[in-house]
Amino acid sequence: MYSAGDVRIENVPDPQIIEPTDAVLRVTRACVCGSDLWPYQKMEHSETGRVMGHEAIGVVEDVGAGVRTIKRGDFVIMPFAFSDGTCAFCHDGLQTSCIHGGFFGTTEVAGAQAEAVRIPLADGTLFPLGMHADDALMASLLTLSDVMGTGHHAAIIAKVTAGKSVAVVGDGAVGLCGVIAAKRLGAEQIIILGRHADRIELAKDFGATDVVSERGDAAVERVRELTGGYGVHSVLECVGLEQAMNTAISIARPGGAVGRVGVPQEQTIPGSEPAFYNNVTVGGGPAPVRAYIEELLPDVLAGNIEPGRVFDRTVGLDGVPDGYRAMNDREAIKVMVTP
């Protein structure tokens, strides 16, 4: 990506082992993330461009001399953040705050919308699957690199438990995975706030019990109607815009919680006054998806959850620029890339 709207396919040097803890991954599946749309809309011109993409699964092609647990030929999940697995925050299950870590698809570390990608700190970052899964599972395994783990993180931060009422703000891939997460954790009522017919149908399939297509004050009023006037116990905020955050806080019942995983586009948290007076807990951030793979993987392999259904378009590398356009224009929920 060179600037807003300017995505190009180029030949670049093959990734190489730089540090002894690196690996090189041959990408078999990658995708475009909703968070990639923010630079697609706003990025200022770059002379060098930025290799995008932070979600992938693939096969390890090479490892550095210092890599101990990852081997050539391993089929692995690449979480969107790299981490050493040994620092205090990694031990706490917060790999996105690893003191030696960082994120793929930045100006410093090339991304995975590519044929291959260098993996820093391979032992702590990559999750080896120990098998080559059936093709039918590939899409769902890919979601464990980001969106399914992120939806789950929102649900955990929002304190979703059995019998609770939940609202999901946003009907993108993360919001839809948030519906899966809320259902999996036993929520009794799951309200999806969105207005795209294809996404709403998928949300219902995933477990949504109610749909609110209004926005702003009208959305708040409708959610309160659906919850006996109280609001919901848990809100998953999966957008990142001011209106979404205001809505999320306004529909939380007193004592409720908001899990925010939409990348915030404002410097301040909206709705601080109603959050304060209603004792609403607000938390969240980049999901430590590496910590959640072990928990979520068995349900994916067993077919109990099918987060891969959020992919409604598949392209090769040459189709990536149009994939960005399709997601930005709401023609596609989430685009999978097969290099």
Side-chain angles (χ1 to χ4, degrees):
M1 187 178 294
Y2 280 85
S3 63
D6 184 6
V7 180
R8 311 175 196 174
I9 306 303
E10 295 183 348
N11 287 317
V12 299
D14 289 347
Q16 305 286 332
I17 301 295
I18 298 175
E19 301 292 338
T21 50
D22 288 349
V24 173
L25 181 70
R26 175 169 57 84
V27 177
T28 58
R29 299 285 193 287
C31 50
V32 181
C33 184
S35 64
D36 291 333
L37 298 181
W38 296 124
Y40 185 73
Q41 294 168 6
K42 300 178 178 180
M43 180 176 165
E44 294 184 3
H45 179 73
S46 162
E47 290 296 329
T48 57
R50 176 173 148 196
V51 181
M52 301 292 293
H54 52 256
E55 305 155 278
I57 55 176
V59 178
V60 176
E61 292 280 281
D62 196 9
V63 295
V67 177
R68 297 287 176 258
T69 61
I70 299 298
K71 306 181 301 298
R72 289 182 182 88
D74 280 352
F75 177 49
V76 297
I77 297 170
M78 184 201 90
F80 67 85
F82 58 89
S83 54
D84 62 18
T86 61
C87 79
F89 299 112
C90 287
H91 279 301
D92 287 343
L94 197 61
Q95 287 90 338
T96 45
S97 293
C98 175
I99 59 175
H100 299 116
F103 299 95
F104 290 100
T106 64
T107 53
E108 292 80 25
V109 180
Q113 289 164 11
E115 293 175 313
V117 61
R118 181 179 73 91
I119 310 293
L121 304 173
D123 282 332
T125 300
L126 297 175
F127 188 98
L129 288 162
M131 48 74 180
H132 281 268
D134 186 280
D135 267 2
L137 288 174
M138 291 297 181
S140 287
L141 291 173
L142 178 57
T143 68
L144 298 181
S145 68
D146 188 346
V147 285
M148 185 60 228
T150 296
H152 179 72
H153 186 56
I156 294 296
I157 296 298
K159 305 178 184 179
V160 177
T161 54
K164 295 292 182 70
S165 57
V166 178
V168 179
V169 180
D171 59 6
V174 170
L176 293 169
C177 287
V179 173
I180 295 175
K183 176 74 171 177
R184 182 179 171 276
L185 293 169
E188 184 173 301
Q189 182 182 30
I190 304 172
I191 304 168
I192 179 77
L193 278 73
R195 50 175 56 188
H196 300 89
D198 55 340
R199 301 169 186 224
I200 295 305
E201 285 309 307
L202 196 51
K204 290 178 179 176
D205 285 351
F206 286 160
T209 57
D210 299 280
V211 177
V212 171
S213 295
E214 295 88 347
R215 287 184 176 174
D217 292 343
V220 174
E221 184 178 340
R222 180 67 184 132
V223 171
R224 292 192 177 279
E225 286 175 5
L226 291 168
T227 54
Y230 295 131
V232 295
H233 296 95
S234 304
V235 186
L236 284 54
E237 195 281 295
C238 305
V239 179
L241 293 173
E242 180 178 8
Q243 184 186 61
M245 195 62 199
N246 274 324
T247 298
I249 289 171
S250 299
I251 61 180
R253 65 191 282 154
V258 175
R260 56 197 300 250
V261 293
V263 178
Q265 300 303 299
E266 282 80 29
Q267 294 298 309
T268 58
I269 298 178
S272 58
E273 189 172 297
F276 177 81
Y277 283 107
N278 287 313
N279 281 280
V280 173
T281 300
V282 179
V289 298
R290 182 65 175 75
Y292 297 137
I293 294 174
E294 198 162 350
E295 175 184 350
L296 297 171
L297 181 60
D299 279 343
V300 166
L301 296 178
N304 296 331
I305 60 174
E306 298 180 273
R309 292 177 64 194
V310 300
F311 295 107
D312 56 348
R313 185 173 299 196
T314 300
V315 299
L317 281 178
D318 288 346
V320 169
D322 192 60
Y324 272 86
R325 182 206 57 76
M327 284 180 60
N328 194 59
D329 293 347
R330 300 297 187 267
E331 289 178 13
I333 301 171
K334 190 166 178 67
V335 173
M336 183 160 61
V337 182
T338 55

